Amino acid sequence: MSATICAFLLTFSALRGPTVVSGALNRPTNVRLTSYNMNLVLRWDSPAGAASSLVYTTGSSVTAYRVGCVNISRLECDFTRLNISISEYGKYTGRVRAQLGAESSAWVESNQITLDKDTIIGSPNVSLFTNGATIDVSIKDPVFKISALRNVYNYATYNITYWKDGQKEKARSISNIQQNRVVLNDLDLWTKYCVQVQINTERNPNPSKPSRAVCESTTNEKGAPWVAAVVTFVIMAMAVALVVVAVVYRKCISHFLCPKDSLPQHFKEYLLAPPSSPMYLAMRNSHPPEEIYHQVSIIAHDRPVEEGSPLEAAGPPQWGSDSGKRDRLKSTEAMRKS
Ligand SMILES: *[C@@H]1O[C@H](CO)[C@@H](O)[C@H](O)[C@H]1NC(C)=O
Ligand SMILES: *[C@@H]1O[C@H](CO)[C@@H](O)[C@H](O)[C@H]1NC(C)=O
Ligand SMILES: *[C@@H]1O[C@H](CO)[C@@H](O)[C@H](O)[C@H]1NC(C)=O
Ligand SMILES: *[C@@H]1O[C@H](CO)[C@@H](O)[C@H](O)[C@H]1NC(C)=O
């Protein structure tokens, strides 16, 4: 597809035949292909004595040239802004020619770059948070035009340099850090420190641009325990105060909790009014099932039992304490009688 476009451009020039004078124009100079945070940009200078209406057409190449920007008057073309696929590990060359009407210069080729090896890695973004005598360093990777830092460079590490404000010559460094949150804890109290971070990668020979130096002051070493002690003290004091108040005003409090005053009349009415819930009414109106009860006479051998008196009155039950059994007995006796 890219080859077709390239062919189209070349054919186009050829069709113009005699009117196209390739190489008649001065060529662009200082043509260089650059990359910053994985973008791919071709830059050049205009030829000496160039007309203001001069335009440029560019191409980029892995193997064959693909068309880039066409008829532009700027002195750069960002290939990563065009809708062409660019590989983070690809080797690229660019080219450009000047055009004025039907005339065009010869192509000028750029240097070749391998994106992941040659791209300039931008500075990370560093934020500091003081926590008593320590400083938390939080690092954000630069945003890449294609892919992401951690995808392109699996083993990227941070080199954190820190120093007391105004004593950069005595800076200390910790390197080979992979996590993006680091605690600096060998710091003096009440001192302002500045921090700068660089990214090292295994494939790109150059470290990233250093981050802007950011500074923050440490405070008291016992920062956190001190706060905890104050909070504990305040809570204890409040608890003691509450107890004292409770003891001193116990009468008032008990009056408040168990008031002697009667409830307002409308509350009482509300509480005493018969509930109107249909479930409650149904429960209240249903009568318990009527028990069938027959009088039973049991005549003992030694002394007679009064008719109708409960069985229990006749001394210890002779048929066990199970009342169900007794009830059954009651009814069988009654049946026998009738
Ligand atoms: C980019 O190119 C692809 C295929 O080459 C195409 O499908 C897509 O529509 C293009 N997108 C834009 C914004 O031109
Ligand atoms: C670029 O400029 C040339 C000469 O003016 C013109 O013939 C051609 O159509 C232009 N190409 C585009 C893509 O605008
Ligand atoms: C760095 O991070 C801060 C806070 O997240 C943000 O405000 C700032 O714009 C970032 N700077 C860069 C250069 O990304
Ligand atoms: C870390 O950065 C400091 C300061 O820029 C430098 O002196 C040191 O060599 C670096 N260390 C590594 C391992 O890159």
Side-chain angles (χ1 to χ4, degrees):
M1 153 87 188
S2 52
T4 337
I5 296 170
C6 189
F8 166 75
L9 281 177
L10 295 174
T11 326
F12 188 75
S13 313
L15 280 177
R16 285 306 198 84
T19 55
V20 174
V21 189
S22 193
L25 282 177
N26 283 335
R27 303 189 292 177
T29 58
N30 195 16
V31 181
R32 62 246 182 231
L33 189 59
T34 61
S35 177
Y36 179 79
N37 281 345
M38 297 297 277
N39 71 2
L40 188 62
V41 180
L42 187 66
R43 293 192 167 84
W44 58 90
D45 296 339
S46 51
S52 61
S53 55
L54 199 65
V55 292
Y56 306 90
T57 294
T58 67
S60 70
S61 146
V62 186
T63 49
Y65 276 105
R66 294 180 296 182
V67 73
C69 310
V70 177
N71 294 352
I72 56 166
S73 51
R74 296 186 311 276
L75 296 177
E76 63 167 53
C77 173
D78 185 347
F79 293 111
T80 30
R81 283 218 192 156
L82 304 173
N83 190 10
I84 51 177
S85 77
I86 288 177
S87 152
E88 50 268 56
Y89 310 111
K91 273 188 181 156
Y92 289 94
T93 315
R95 67 175 184 175
V96 61
R97 69 177 178 184
Q99 278 177 284
L100 186 63
E103 285 183 278
S104 57
S105 74
W107 289 104
V108 184
E109 284 201 356
S110 74
N111 54 310
Q112 184 184 66
I113 65 171
T114 305
L115 261 188
D116 63 329
K117 276 197 190 136
D118 295 320
T119 195
I120 295 164
I121 303 170
S123 57
N125 193 349
V126 175
S127 321
L128 303 183
F129 306 94
T130 310
N131 186 8
T134 65
I135 291 178
D136 290 8
V137 182
S138 170
I139 306 165
K140 261 200 225 153
D141 292 336
V143 176
F144 276 8
K145 189 74 187 189
I146 57 170
S147 194
L149 181 103
R150 295 266 156 205
N151 292 346
V152 180
Y153 307 109
N154 297 322
Y155 301 106
T157 58
Y158 303 113
N159 178 5
I160 301 174
T161 306
Y162 58 102
W163 61 92
K164 281 183 191 171
D165 193 20
Q167 301 181 26
K168 193 164 181 185
E169 65 285 353
K170 292 192 199 157
R172 280 175 280 177
S173 287
I174 42 175
S175 49
N176 284 323
I177 305 288
Q178 282 201 302
Q179 61 274 34
N180 58 7
R181 277 197 93 97
V182 176
V183 177
L184 304 177
N185 51 18
D186 55 344
L187 308 178
D188 292 348
L189 307 179
W190 305 109
T191 308
K192 189 174 190 180
Y193 282 89
C194 297
V195 177
Q196 210 169 20
V197 178
Q198 263 186 310
I199 301 169
N200 289 320
T201 62
E202 77 282 23
R203 281 202 307 281
N204 194 313
N206 299 312
S208 75
K209 298 212 170 254
S211 68
R212 189 173 56 87
V214 282
C215 305
E216 196 62 71
S217 295
T218 54
T219 57
N220 193 327
E221 174 147 42
K222 304 279 178 230
W226 181 74
V227 169
V230 166
V231 169
T232 312
F233 177 78
V234 167
I235 290 174
M236 297 262 291
M238 279 166 70
V240 167
L242 269 177
V243 168
V244 168
V245 165
V247 167
V248 170
Y249 295 101
R250 61 186 183 282
K251 268 196 182 148
C252 297
I253 290 170
S254 71
H255 276 198
F256 175 73
L257 291 179
C258 318
K260 291 214 170 69
D261 302 325
S262 58
L263 281 172
Q265 191 56 32
H266 61 277
F267 266 38
K268 274 189 189 168
E269 275 167 14
Y270 172 75
L271 291 174
L272 294 179
S276 54
S277 150
M279 183 104 96
Y280 174 81
L281 289 178
M283 277 166 60
R284 201 185 54 174
N285 292 340
S286 70
H287 298 287
E290 232 163 86
E291 279 179 24
I292 301 161
Y293 183 77
H294 297 280
Q295 285 190 341
V296 176
S297 307
I298 293 172
I299 294 117
H301 283 299
D302 40 356
R303 58 188 171 97
V305 177
E306 238 182 286
E307 280 234 325
S309 69
L311 274 170
E312 281 75 14
Q318 287 161 314
W319 309 284
S321 58
D322 184 349
S323 62
K325 244 188 209 168
R326 271 202 310 271
D327 287 349
R328 244 179 290 129
L329 237 135
K330 265 192 217 171
S331 37
T332 44
E333 284 286 332
M335 270 155 62
R336 217 174 287 160
K337 250 180 77 179
S338 56

